[in-house]
Amino acid sequence: MSPARTAPLVAREQTLQELWLQVAASAAQGMRAAVVRGPAGSGKTRVLDAFAERARGAGASVLAGRSPALGGHAYAALADALGAYVRSSAPAAGQIRRAGDALVALVPALAAADDGPADRRILPDAMAVVQAAYRLVRLITERRPLVLILDDGHLADADTCEALAALQRHAADLPWTLIVGWREPAEEVRESATRLVELLRRERDAVEVALEPLGVAAVGELVAALLGDGLPSPTLVEAMHRRSAGNPYYIEEMVRWLRDSGRLRRVGLQWMAAEDSEEELPPTLEAALRQRSRALPENARTVLEWLAVAGGPVDLGLLSDVSGLDPSRLATALDTLVRAGLIAEQGGRRPDYRVHHPLVGECVYRDLSLAHRRLSHQTLARALALRGEPPGAVAAHHVRAADPGDAEALAATLAAAADAESRHHFSQAVSWYAEVVRLAENDDVARLGALDRLSELGAYAGRADLALEAVDELLALTPATDAQRVTLLRRLATLRVISGEIDRGRAAIEEGLSLAAGSGTEVAMLLAELTMVAQMTLPVAEILELIARGRAVALKTGAVSTDLVFRAFEAIAVTDSGDPRRGLELAMDAAHDAMEAQEFLGFGYNAFAAGIAELVLGRFEHLEQNVGSFVETAEAAGLVWGAAWMWHLLGSSQFYRGDFDGALASFLRSEEMARRHGTAMVMPLPVLMCANVLAAQGRLAEARDRLEEARRWIEQRPARFMDGWYWAAAGMVADAGSRFDEAVVSYQNMADAFERRGDHAQVALKPLLVHALISAGRPGEALALARQIEASIAERDIPFARATSAGALADALSATGNHAEAIAVARRAVELVSAVDGAFLRGRIEAVYGLALHRAGRRGEARDVLARAHARLAAIPVVHERDRVRAALGELGVPVATGERRATGAPAAAERDSLDPLSRREREVAELAATGLSSRSVALRLALSERTIENHLQRIYAKLGLHSRAELIALVAGTADVAVR
């Protein structure tokens, strides 16, 4: 386990910028003021510390103090700031002495050195303090702006507040800025502090800066930084965001406690939390949160308990009904809780209330006895039922109050299950049906009905464990001659296949077909399951034959939903046969029919089929837009199996576009869903694709670990359709590590595996073998293979494959000395790749073109093309291919930066010249971006938001007269003369 780390400041760059604007404005406008507000734990102190450091680095003088640091003494906050200033700045003591004895008396170290009064009860005159403070501000601001920071300003002593109030008038025309940190809500706010802030707002137009809760992305950055190595799983990030409500302090405490207590485990690249970890809290954090609620008046505590049991917003009428408090007492209790910041009030004519912070609600709920909880849930359930609230809202409380056999709870849960299923919320429906099984102690009809629905829906909702238990129990109760057994065997087959047990799935299908009579609906559905197995084990031609047979049965029996599944499989098979445009048309037509028929699952199957066709066509941006919207729908519906596939498809499109950070995030989400929910059929594809991303980024050790993990997975669950993808990843990892002979073997195995499926299955990847043969010193074999691939797709409308194939042929021709033909083919490849989305492939093809020109001795043209290719590849970055192009540019006499960040952070002379117009922060962003890091990676390194990095880059481009990241990279690399056109 990695050691504890200091948490970075995330998602606060806009706040820092807003504060710096006030400092900058003070030069022209005189004294400026800002109030930084945030609840406890929001990171207010860390923001102020970071701003103080930034202001010092930008040349300002900073005095920073904290109100309660010296207890209740007079001038405590001002003295704290002065003392810190003396410790942080060598000239500070002399400046304070020149300002006057009144300030010297407030700094014990200076007073003692000057034989001043040792008794702090002997205080300087208030007017003398103000006059000396004015002289200090004037002394400092003669040479640089001043920033005075007062943290925890809500507790500031009256003397400090009065001095600052006078100072803001007397020193109004000097370039200084007063920044006050303010906790809101706070248990104590001093009146003098409130008056000071009101004065600053009225006379200095003080800027109000609210520290908003961290969003999901920022929570992910913070958790990743705290863990140090690896990445937090999406589920862990979402749980942290939900429970902490974006409060940085709570996140830090929970992550450290989960890590130190062993409740986090590293699986592959991801950290995952133990299943029961959401029910627990760090003891220190729980004690602090409980303290806030236990001291409340009885009625306020009662209301808070009801809100904690409700677990969400409760309107005033319901709260009045269940609490039993008369209007006056209820109103008083609500006022107390709102003022204390424990609950939030919203709405107008019909207000509702909720516990302000989820963790407070958790603590209050755990403080209740089991009997108290159950009786409260029962009361809420009945009250909600009387009001006609949705079945799920009623059942949610019944199930937390009921014992097995409770008829009232059973009826409510059955209603909730049926309602969720009717709305296609599969995970909710499965959860409710599982509760029905628990509650239906003496109701065999309800229990068997729930088991039936679990056996059908569990696979799609990622609860294969529940579904298998249900199927096994139902099969044990169903006679061998019963027609229902065929249905159960079909469901069993689905579960086996999704769980990665292909052979056992096929056995269940064959048993079902042997029992099925005639050609009814169940036969069609069994054939659909068999087609799913065939997709993973059989050549395309045999799959199409099976689909034709299945569709005939489905159409004959009117099984519309099953026919839609067959049509999706047909679209995928047609795509793999080398006609992706036709496959896309088939999938889109079927998806349209599914929407009209309101067949959600049929639509999902065909959306996936359309995505595969778009991937083969190279329409990555369009694919990303379509899949990105559908994957959210699938997750919201609890269609876990489909969502895992969709995340994988989304990641694939991002990978080929060159968005490696996005691709890695998508693959990890797909992987986590597959691990957590038993959808082993998806695994280990996202693991393999992660290996590809990591290899491209030059993270070879991690890539090999991922590859080894995928190999073990495949050995445990043999599935022939995985072989091609495994060998493709193995080839990419070997290639990136310059192990070219090994890459050749892997790519050959890849090609063989895909050819067993069909001549044109994944043909766009086959050119990788050509490039590997060239790198391994076998150009003759590479040329023969390249011509063979070209001939096989000459009449095919596959833009992705045509571009990669032309690029491979050009590389092979160039390597064998056919320079004129190589250049002509490379030009054609550049034209072809323009029809394919993404910088990754374009950079690759441009690199081939540039190298062909280089080998042909056309140095000027080669420099131009290779500089563009380098800019594209470095911007992603694709490390191995970027370095290959860099080496070629070096041979052509073009100096290119190594891409490694200097330890000192000082730019080279050439960079200083080119980046002179930039500010310090802009220079830092530009230098990191020029190493090839994505905006997201730069943001993580600098603890800023991705949007802030993008804003910085736009300003950088404007100042330097650039238009793109590629041009920035070329400028810093010293290749602007050939790259910026």
Side-chain angles (χ1 to χ4, degrees), residues 75-373:
Y75 297 111
L78 182 58
D80 191 49
L82 292 169
Y85 184 50
V86 168
R87 292 190 296 273
S88 67
S89 171
Q95 290 175 329
I96 292 175
R97 287 192 177 98
R98 289 197 299 274
D101 292 341
L103 292 189
V104 172
L106 298 181
V107 184
L110 296 182
D114 294 348
D115 297 323
D119 189 348
R120 285 190 51 86
R121 290 174 297 178
I122 303 174
L123 295 172
D125 177 73
M127 183 56 68
V129 171
V130 173
Q131 291 172 342
Y134 171 76
R135 285 192 292 270
L136 179 63
V137 173
R138 190 180 63 192
L139 281 168
I140 293 174
T141 56
E142 284 177 353
R143 304 190 65 177
R144 59 186 63 196
L146 168 66
V147 177
L148 174 55
I149 297 175
L150 179 61
D151 195 7
D152 285 336
H154 59 288
L155 295 175
D157 58 273
D159 297 282
T160 294
C161 291
E162 289 173 7
L164 291 175
L167 186 62
Q168 64 87 26
R169 290 193 298 273
H170 295 305
D173 59 339
L174 297 178
W176 70 291
T177 305
L178 174 61
I179 299 176
V180 180
W182 193 279
R183 179 181 296 179
E184 192 173 63
E187 294 177 5
E188 178 186 356
V189 178
R190 293 180 180 172
E191 186 179 349
S192 57
T194 301
R195 287 199 304 269
L196 173 64
V197 168
E198 289 174 351
L199 178 69
L200 292 172
R201 187 184 296 119
R202 184 174 62 253
E203 296 193 10
R204 296 288 144 229
D205 193 22
V207 171
E208 295 279 346
V209 181
L211 294 182
E212 299 295 336
L214 299 183
V216 175
V219 170
E221 292 178 27
L222 179 56
V223 175
L226 290 168
L227 292 173
D229 61 340
L231 295 170
S233 69
T235 300
L236 174 60
V237 172
E238 287 160 5
M240 285 292 146
H241 180 257
R242 182 177 61 255
R243 296 184 73 197
S244 72
N247 184 294
Y249 171 71
Y250 294 159
I251 294 166
E252 292 172 35
E253 288 295 303
M254 286 193 291
V255 169
R256 290 191 174 109
W257 177 72
L258 288 170
R259 180 193 57 205
D260 295 342
S261 62
R263 289 171 171 82
L264 286 179
R265 62 189 181 100
R266 173 83 177 267
V267 182
L269 277 182
Q270 300 190 82
W271 288 96
M272 297 184 181
E275 292 294 333
D276 60 348
S277 61
E278 282 204 45
E279 301 299 321
E280 303 176 62
L281 271 177
T284 53
L285 186 56
E286 185 165 10
L289 290 169
R290 279 179 170 163
Q291 187 65 31
R292 295 187 64 192
S293 62
R294 285 181 171 173
L296 290 170
E298 181 180 354
N299 289 340
R301 172 78 187 188
T302 296
V303 172
L304 187 61
E305 288 170 354
W306 278 110
L307 292 173
V309 172
V314 178
D315 68 64
L316 183 59
L318 178 60
L319 198 53
S320 177
D321 290 344
V322 298
S323 69
L325 296 175
D326 63 52
S328 176
R329 291 179 180 177
L330 178 58
T332 301
L334 289 171
D335 286 343
T336 300
L337 293 170
V338 170
R339 282 196 301 269
L342 288 169
I343 67 172
E345 180 181 48
Q346 58 191 25
R349 294 175 62 86
R350 187 183 178 187
D352 59 38
Y353 301 85
R354 59 176 175 81
V355 180
H356 190 273
H357 200 284
L359 293 182
V360 173
E362 288 184 30
C363 290
V364 171
Y365 186 80
R366 275 199 291 272
D367 257 358
L368 302 176
S369 67
L370 181 60
H372 192 154
R373 294 181 205 170

Side-chain angles (χ1 to χ4, degrees), residues 383-718:
L384 290 169
L386 286 173
R387 291 159 62 98
E389 298 293 335
V394 176
H397 292 288
H398 268 305
V399 298
R400 302 188 73 172
D403 290 319
D406 186 320
E408 185 181 11
L410 179 60
T413 308
L414 278 168
D419 176 66
E421 188 174 355
S422 71
R423 292 181 291 108
H424 300 298
H425 282 281
F426 298 103
S427 58
Q428 290 181 16
V430 166
S431 296
W432 290 129
Y433 283 125
E435 288 293 343
V436 170
V437 172
R438 182 182 71 85
L439 291 170
E441 187 175 64
N442 302 311
D443 191 331
D444 290 341
V445 173
R447 177 181 171 79
L448 290 173
L451 288 172
D452 178 71
R453 301 315 302 143
L454 281 174
S455 68
E456 177 73 20
L457 302 176
Y460 301 114
R463 294 304 308 271
D465 53 341
L466 289 176
L468 277 170
E469 290 176 8
V471 168
D472 288 342
E473 184 172 343
L474 291 170
L475 280 172
L477 296 172
T478 306
T481 57
D482 196 317
Q484 178 64 18
R485 193 171 185 85
V486 176
T487 300
L488 294 173
L489 287 168
R490 187 257 303 166
R491 294 174 182 171
L492 178 61
T494 301
L495 292 164
R496 295 299 186 201
V497 172
I498 287 177
S499 300
E501 300 176 278
I502 306 300
D503 292 339
R504 295 181 71 182
R506 181 189 285 275
I509 293 168
E510 291 173 351
E511 183 181 351
L513 288 171
S514 68
L515 293 176
S519 57
T521 301
E522 282 300 332
V523 171
M525 297 176 77
L526 281 165
L527 289 173
E529 295 299 331
L530 186 59
T531 304
M532 184 184 296
V533 173
Q535 287 281 1
M536 294 176 277
T537 57
L538 296 180
V540 170
E542 294 180 43
I543 295 170
L544 288 170
E545 291 178 6
L546 183 57
I547 289 170
R549 175 188 169 195
R551 286 203 67 188
V553 175
L555 292 171
K556 183 177 180 180
T557 58
V560 174
S561 58
T562 306
D563 184 55
L564 288 167
V565 175
F566 278 121
R567 291 169 70 181
F569 289 144
E570 181 182 14
I572 294 171
V574 168
T575 294
D576 283 344
S577 71
D579 193 357
R581 209 167 295 277
R582 175 60 180 156
L584 179 60
E585 291 174 0
L586 291 171
M588 294 300 290
D589 287 345
H592 178 267
D593 292 346
M595 287 184 67
E596 287 196 340
Q598 296 186 332
E599 289 285 348
F600 184 77
L601 288 173
F603 178 81
Y605 273 101
N606 282 283
F608 180 70
I612 290 178
E614 290 199 301
L615 193 66
V616 174
L617 286 166
R619 297 173 52 173
F620 306 128
E621 291 184 13
H622 194 260
L623 167 60
E624 189 170 344
Q625 292 171 1
N626 290 341
V627 172
S629 59
F630 183 76
V631 73
E632 295 178 3
T633 303
E635 280 207 51
L639 191 60
V640 175
W641 176 44
W645 274 116
M646 287 295 186
W647 277 113
H648 172 75
L649 196 58
L650 177 60
S652 297
S653 68
Q654 292 166 324
F655 174 72
Y656 288 117
R657 277 188 55 236
D659 178 9
F660 286 176
D661 290 337
L664 192 60
S666 295
F667 290 136
L668 290 174
R669 191 171 190 93
S670 173
E671 176 192 338
E672 187 200 13
M673 296 182 82
R675 287 186 191 278
R676 283 189 179 277
H677 300 287
T679 54
M681 191 180 78
V682 181
M683 291 283 284
L685 283 178
V687 178
L688 290 169
M689 289 302 292
C690 277
N692 292 342
V693 176
L694 294 167
Q697 291 178 323
R699 299 159 64 179
L700 295 180
E702 294 172 272
R704 292 185 187 112
D705 287 345
R706 303 255 76 193
L707 193 62
E708 178 62 22
E709 182 181 1
R711 185 190 61 77
R712 291 193 300 268
W713 189 281
I714 292 172
E715 288 176 350
Q716 294 168 7
R717 303 167 181 80

Side-chain angles (χ1 to χ4, degrees), residues 823-870:
I823 292 170
V825 173
R827 284 201 191 101
R828 176 165 61 87
V830 170
E831 293 175 3
L832 289 169
V833 83
S834 65
V836 178
D837 300 325
F840 185 12
L841 292 173
R842 293 180 188 180
R844 276 183 164 182
I845 298 298
E846 285 177 341
V848 169
Y849 183 26
L851 290 169
L853 290 166
H854 180 25
R855 290 171 183 149
R858 295 163 64 168
R859 296 172 61 86
E861 295 171 86
R863 281 195 296 267
D864 190 8
V865 175
L866 287 172
R868 286 198 299 269
H870 181 271

